[in-house]
Amino acid sequence: MPKTVIIGSNHAGIAAANTLLDSYKDQEVVMIDRSKHLSYLGCGTALWVGHHIDGYEDLFYTSPADFIAKGATIHMETLVERVDYRNRKVYCQNVVTGESFIESYDHLILATGSKPIVPNLPGSDLPGIHLMKSFEESLVVDELLASERVKNVAVVGAGYIGVEMAEAIQRRGKQVLLFDIQDRVLPTYHDEVFSAEMAEALSSNGVALHLGEAVKEYQGQTNASSFVEYLDTLEASDRLQPFINEMKETFQKVGGQVSKIVTDKGAYDVDLVINAIGFRPNSDLGKEYLEVAENGAYEVDRYQKTSSPRVSAVGDCATIYSNALNASTYIALASNAVRTGIVAAHNIAGTVLEGPGVQGSNGISIFGRHMVSTGLSLEIAKAHGFDAKATDFEDLQKPAFMSENDKVRIRLVYDGATRRLLGAQMSSTADISMGIHMFSLAIAKQVTIDELKLLDIFFLPHFNQPYNYITMAALGAE
């Protein structure tokens, strides 16, 4: 049987493995991951840290046992030291036993994901600064937030993860300071008018916004006995204890824990820092052999093939085709990871399947403010050279005589030259999330703004208005 080795077993790797094992009977699959577990839904971290849900257990949607039952070989807690691409061999070491071994392959899938951006700032090695990338580190932060000694928490980065963590920490009764070098929140997916609505939701719920403010330094204090004694009180599970030990060792090494964050505008006392600046592709295993994009992501074609014919790359470590740009780009989303894993697996197994491309559809819900978008914002579209224009509309979701009602804001972004829809954004305290799927499909199918103007949209007072906000926004286009 042809043998496929998958390095990395989160969303993209799992989707590829499931496709090979469930859809084909003649595939040998080997999965390698450096973690103790797989399938952690990192997007749920803020939910359980913020006590929206009872615990983290259901954030794992599969297990190594599930894949073993399907016939896969699983190597957990295993570090891939290097890949010999010419001779098709993967050199591995079990991080627990120290055992080294080699896995040969007919096909290789790189599903190594992304890694957090760590700022090279004075004091960035102090204990108490966390990246929230791994499940184990989330456990540490959850335990730290349970302590009364943690009162002020700085979150650095006002993208999706930073904003979600700011809400979660505020719900734990802590004072939250949210920093970003840019002058608004969520700049990647939303234009300023939508960012302002999210900023209002945050500030009105007690999050202190420090936007347009650059972090320059972290400072620490040296009350060693207090900090180490506190760490000893944490309920350290087998998963958590190595991180607690590492924090103790780091404390002794650097002589303190984080106690202050210094920016270009001031200095602030903090007891804990969450670094949510962003992520970059984790392409260390192949960047010297395979072609990579400017940001380091593996360059792949529409079939997820890299520059080496027997090597595929999926998920956050690879580029992806954007139907809004009509070009290859980089969009790190779990939904994209799943789709690319499926596409790669089918092609490896002999079913030719071209990836349909993506729109980067996304959503966020903070303190009851729901925002969704797909495609390009007006700002991003202009930055890519489009003659981009926007049409906006704001109205009640339902007729005014309906007692349960919410305002909805919508923006449609389109190319003034071709009239093609480039993006859509919506915001409301109502759940308007399903509407963005229609716009995602419209972008994928290259629909024009004019085709949306008289789109057949039903009317019923329970759901919407006869002059629907989608129709009205489209009709408002130049």
Side-chain angles (χ1 to χ4, degrees):
M1 292 190 295
K3 178 180 178 181
T4 298
V5 172
I6 303 172
I7 303 176
S9 298
N10 211 358
H11 309 309
I14 284 171
N18 275 328
T19 301
L20 288 169
L21 295 167
D22 295 342
S23 301
Y24 302 93
K25 302 301 182 185
D26 60 345
Q27 296 291 318
E28 180 182 358
V29 174
V30 177
M31 303 170 69
I32 305 172
D33 200 286
R34 65 188 305 171
S35 178
K36 287 185 177 181
H37 49 77
L38 49 80
S39 81
Y40 177 61
L41 285 167
C43 56
T45 296
L47 292 175
W48 70 266
V49 170
H51 292 179
H52 283 274
I53 59 178
D54 293 335
Y56 58 77
E57 290 78 9
D58 290 338
L59 296 179
F60 296 92
Y61 57 88
T62 188
S63 69
D66 294 333
F67 287 98
I68 292 172
K70 294 181 180 183
T73 299
I74 308 290
H75 298 297
M76 304 301 294
E77 295 184 275
T78 297
L79 176 67
V80 175
E81 297 177 316
R82 67 184 179 93
V83 178
D84 181 346
Y85 292 97
R86 290 182 174 84
N87 296 303
R88 302 204 298 273
K89 293 181 179 180
V90 180
Y91 289 79
C92 310
Q93 183 181 55
N94 186 289
V95 297
V96 177
T97 66
E99 175 192 2
S100 296
F101 60 96
I102 300 171
E103 286 283 1
S104 61
Y105 64 84
D106 297 299
H107 299 280
L108 177 67
I109 298 179
L110 296 170
T112 48
S114 58
K115 52 186 178 181
I117 297 172
V118 182
N120 184 21
L121 298 174
S124 59
D125 58 345
L126 286 165
I129 302 175
H130 295 273
L131 299 172
M132 303 300 291
K133 175 63 174 176
S134 69
F135 166 65
E136 288 85 357
E137 193 162 16
S138 299
L139 280 174
V140 173
V141 171
D142 182 54
E143 287 284 348
L144 292 172
L145 290 174
S147 170
E148 293 184 0
R149 71 177 299 281
V150 175
K151 296 180 173 63
N152 301 309
V153 182
V155 178
V156 182
Y160 271 14
I161 295 175
V163 167
E164 288 173 342
M165 286 306 302
E167 180 197 28
I169 295 166
Q170 192 279 335
R171 290 184 181 276
R172 295 289 292 271
K174 312 299 179 181
Q175 176 59 49
V176 184
L177 299 85
L178 179 61
F179 295 88
D180 201 289
I181 194 170
Q182 298 199 50
D183 60 2
R184 61 189 181 90
V185 302
L186 309 180
T188 302
Y189 296 110
H190 298 280
D191 287 314
E192 195 280 331
V193 65
F194 290 86
S195 294
E197 290 191 345
M198 183 56 72
E200 169 60 24
L202 290 162
S203 60
S204 64
N205 283 278
V207 176
L209 300 180
H210 293 269
L211 305 175
E213 195 163 348
V215 176
K216 296 296 186 181
E217 180 183 0
Y218 300 107
Q219 296 178 356
Q221 64 183 16
T222 57
N223 188 356
S225 60
S226 172
F227 185 67
V228 173
E229 287 173 6
Y230 166 65
L231 292 178
D232 287 335
T233 68
L234 297 181
E235 297 180 5
S237 63
D238 291 341
R239 284 174 168 168
L240 190 56
Q241 192 61 55
F243 283 81
I244 299 300
N245 294 339
E246 182 180 346
M247 290 178 70
K248 290 181 182 179
E249 292 172 2
T250 305
F251 185 94
Q252 300 294 347
K253 178 181 178 181
V254 303
Q257 68 177 99
V258 68
S259 62
K260 194 180 294 291
I261 186 169
V262 181
T263 73
D264 58 353
K265 295 184 179 179
Y268 311 88
D269 293 331
V270 296
D271 305 302
L272 187 69
V273 174
I274 305 299
N275 184 344
I277 293 176
F279 297 91
R280 59 168 54 96
N282 183 8
S283 56
D284 292 345
L285 281 176
K287 63 183 180 182
E288 302 300 327
Y289 182 78
L290 304 171
E291 290 183 11
V292 295
E294 185 176 352
N295 71 338
Y298 296 120
E299 288 276 15
V300 296
D301 61 18
R302 299 288 290 271
Y303 307 94
Q304 300 305 132
K305 295 292 186 182
T306 67
S307 54
S308 181
R310 290 182 178 269
V311 181
S312 301
V314 295
D316 291 0
C317 67
T319 60
I320 197 166
Y321 188 83
S322 164
N323 290 314
L325 293 172
N326 284 332
S328 179
T329 188
Y330 182 74
I331 306 174
L333 292 170
S335 52
N336 293 347
V338 171
R339 280 188 283 271
T340 56
I342 293 171
V343 169
H346 279 300
N347 283 291
I348 285 172
T351 301
V352 178
L353 178 63
E354 182 179 74
V358 301
Q359 290 68 251
S361 303
N362 63 89
I364 191 169
S365 178
I366 302 293
F367 294 120
R369 169 60 55 180
H370 313 303
M371 289 171 46
V372 291
S373 77
T374 189
L376 309 177
S377 68
L378 179 63
E379 180 181 349
I380 297 296
K382 287 182 176 180
H384 279 281
F386 288 100
D387 176 24
K389 302 181 184 299
T391 174
D392 299 299
F393 195 74
E394 184 178 4
D395 201 357
L396 291 171
Q397 169 80 14
K398 308 169 189 174
F401 58 75
M402 298 295 288
S403 57
E404 294 184 5
N405 221 334
D406 302 85
K407 284 187 177 180
V408 180
R409 181 187 298 275
I410 184 172
R411 166 169 285 186
L412 302 180
V413 179
Y414 61 98
D415 184 3
T418 66
R419 311 291 291 172
R420 181 170 67 87
L421 186 69
L422 298 175
Q425 302 163 64
M426 293 193 291
S427 173
S428 181
T429 52
D431 182 1
I432 39 76
S433 60
M434 291 301 291
I436 209 67
H437 298 311
M438 182 197 74
F439 293 116
S440 177
L441 180 62
I443 295 170
K445 298 302 181 182
Q446 310 284 293
V447 171
T448 68
I449 188 69
D450 302 304
E451 290 176 285
L452 291 175
K453 291 180 177 179
L454 297 179
L455 180 69
D456 180 15
I457 297 176
F458 84 97
F459 160 62
L460 190 67
H462 303 72
F463 301 107
N464 59 2
Q465 298 208 49
Y467 286 88
N468 186 283
Y469 55 84
I470 294 174
T471 299
M472 296 304 294
L475 286 170
E478 294 181 6

